[in-house]
Amino acid sequence: PVDDVDDAVAAAAAAAHEQEHLDEIHLDNNTSESISDFTSDKTKSGTPSPWAVFDAWGAGDAIVEPLSDENERLLSPDSVRIPFDDEERSSMPGETEILKAYDHLLKRKSSVHFGYPYNLMYNHEELYEFMKYSINNLGDPYITSNYGVHSRQFECAVIDFMARLWKMEQDEYWGYVSTCGTEGNLHGILLARECHPDGILYSSKETHYSIFKAARYYRMDAKAIPTLPMGEIDYDVLASEIQKNIDRPVIINVNIGTTVKGAVDNLDRILRILKTLNVPRERFHIHCDGALFAMMMPFVDFAPEVSFRKPIDSIAVSGHKMLGCPMPCGVAIARKEHVKKVEQKIDYLNSVDTTIMGSRNGTAPLFLWYSLRKKGIQGIKRDVVHCMETARYLRNKLTEAGFACRLNDLSSTVVLERPMDDRLVKRWQLACEEDIAHVVVMPNVTRQKIDKFVEELLECSETHGRTRPLRADSPLSKLASCAWGGDSFVAPVGDFKGDF
């Protein structure tokens, strides 16, 4: 009968569609099947540059095909385990085969990377020769140790560039290349604690978890201040909390781009609060967590200035995010006077201990120096303009497609309703928090990839439906707030009423 034929065709089509999704699952043999939230704690306190054309890893326009079953097998735990003897080794694939499969996996992952702030468009081929050296910048960047295989001259050049970018006077700053933005935050908060041992740390609830990790490490009193719907700190609550504890020094972490929404706290408004409350300069300390956007804001036309011309004390930024680097790294800069409080002479090093880590990756400064020299101010500016313009393109495409989404003014992070199918979340490596997800538009994110992403998101919504707000004050509900500004918002699915 005709009906039976139609049913069979429909069943075959459904099976093929399901198999396509299963293929996507196989890509992630090194991750769990379930997708966890961006934060496990719901109440947490917390156009590429002209030179960057090397695309061997698939970070550009093309989306690399999934791994074959054979490559999946080569990357299984049994294949990659380390043998104890020749008998074990004889039954296992060789290292060359395994690494070839792994290279394909990384190309695939890099070609569909949307959710985390990593610039995957870079070319450091000229530096591969230096990977054979054990380059270690142990000790202070400015005081050479007895170990001669270091890259301090490149590290200091990177620090000098950043100091000029953030308008620091020549003899007033100290800094170093860290392992990541988190280490920079740990160092910045350590300096704050040493300057004000009895101070209270204030930071917004949407702050990166490393700030409150620092508070735990250093046994500091800390207050997680509520946020406005678009992710900025609630300035009125901040003022109230400082007033309640006016007898104690004030330590404030200012977010130059929050983790999930890319919100930038208003530094000038915070400084006005301190002035209104008559908190003298010697009684407050400001650290700026600028992981991604502190490296972008100086290149955004008419953006508020975040610099050391204002009474701030330290800035931490990630090196592998906006600039791009094959290993995680960061830059921490502070006023030199504060660093003296943690400095200790170490005879073993013939240097001083001023950093969080002892041994420090000397290759990372070389890569950062190379990126800065090759890109230059104009190259970084082009990358930033690409990110900001492409983020607006993504927001507009999502809005036109009927999805709830938002984009902060000073951000390249597009926040949207969480896709219902976790396989799509995993495929595009989206970062999620409860009922929202985000895309961080970096130099490797192109309009062609965005079109493909939105196409797949539409298919997902047609098959699995749309995410409804978990509650009246959930992150998705807050996307409806007029505090975000603009008129491009599409309301989430469902009837709900919230206090915005």
Side-chain angles (χ1 to χ4, degrees), residues 19 47 85 89 105 143 163 166 170 181 184 195 225 240 258 270 286 292 318 334 359 370 382 385 400 413 439 480 486:
Q19 184 59 47
T47 310
D85 52 45
R89 177 180 290 277
L105 174 65
I143 303 176
W166 295 320
Q170 180 67 43
C195 291
I225 307 299
S240 175
T258 56
I270 290 171
I286 294 179
L292 170 63
S318 295
S359 286
Y370 187 83
R382 281 190 293 268
V385 170
E400 291 166 7
T413 299
V439 172

Side-chain angles (χ1 to χ4, degrees), residues 160-168 294-295 298-299 306-307 377:
D160 291 344
F161 176 90
M162 296 297 184
R164 289 181 65 187
L165 188 66
W166 295 320
K167 299 178 173 59
M168 194 74 154
M295 196 64 215
F299 303 95
V306 175
S307 78
I377 292 294

Side-chain angles (χ1 to χ4, degrees), residues 237-300:
V237 175
L238 174 64
S240 175
E241 289 299 312
I242 294 174
Q243 179 66 64
K244 290 177 186 177
N245 301 278
I246 199 66
D247 59 322
R248 296 179 63 182
V250 179
I251 300 171
I252 302 179
N253 173 69
V254 175
N255 290 309
I256 314 302
T258 56
T259 308
V260 177
K261 298 176 183 175
V264 176
D265 292 336
N266 190 323
L267 173 60
D268 291 333
R269 185 167 179 178
I270 290 171
L271 291 172
R272 286 198 300 272
I273 288 172
L274 293 171
K275 183 175 182 179
T276 300
L277 295 176
N278 295 314
V279 180
R281 180 65 180 100
E282 64 273 13
R283 294 277 292 176
F284 73 84
H285 191 108
I286 294 179
H287 171 72
C288 296
D289 178 10
L292 170 63
F293 211 72
M295 196 64 215
M296 298 175 68
M297 185 175 283
F299 303 95
V300 176

Side-chain angles (χ1 to χ4, degrees), residues 350-403:
N350 193 29
S351 184
V352 296
D353 178 28
T354 47
T355 59
I356 296 292
M357 300 299 175
S359 286
R360 299 188 298 108
N361 184 349
T363 306
L366 188 60
F367 278 73
L368 291 181
W369 171 85
Y370 187 83
S371 291
L372 290 169
R373 288 274 295 214
K374 285 292 185 179
K375 288 176 181 285
I377 292 294
Q378 292 306 312
I380 301 173
K381 171 81 172 181
R382 281 190 293 268
D383 279 354
V384 171
V385 170
H386 164 86
C387 293
M388 303 295 281
E389 291 182 347
T390 308
R392 290 191 289 270
Y393 177 82
L394 171 58
R395 178 201 60 193
N396 294 342
K397 294 291 289 188
L398 289 169
T399 301
E400 291 166 7
F403 293 104

Side-chain angles (χ1 to χ4, degrees), residues 118 136 155 176-187 213 316-321 325-332 355-365 368:
Y118 308 141
N136 191 332
E155 181 175 22
Y176 75 105
V177 173
S178 60
T179 57
C180 58
T182 288
E183 185 183 345
N185 285 337
L186 291 174
H187 193 272
K213 176 191 288 189
V317 66
S318 295
H320 58 287
K321 291 182 178 175
C325 190
M327 70 280 292
C329 57
V331 174
T355 59
I356 296 292
M357 300 299 175
S359 286
R360 299 188 298 108
N361 184 349
T363 306
L368 291 181

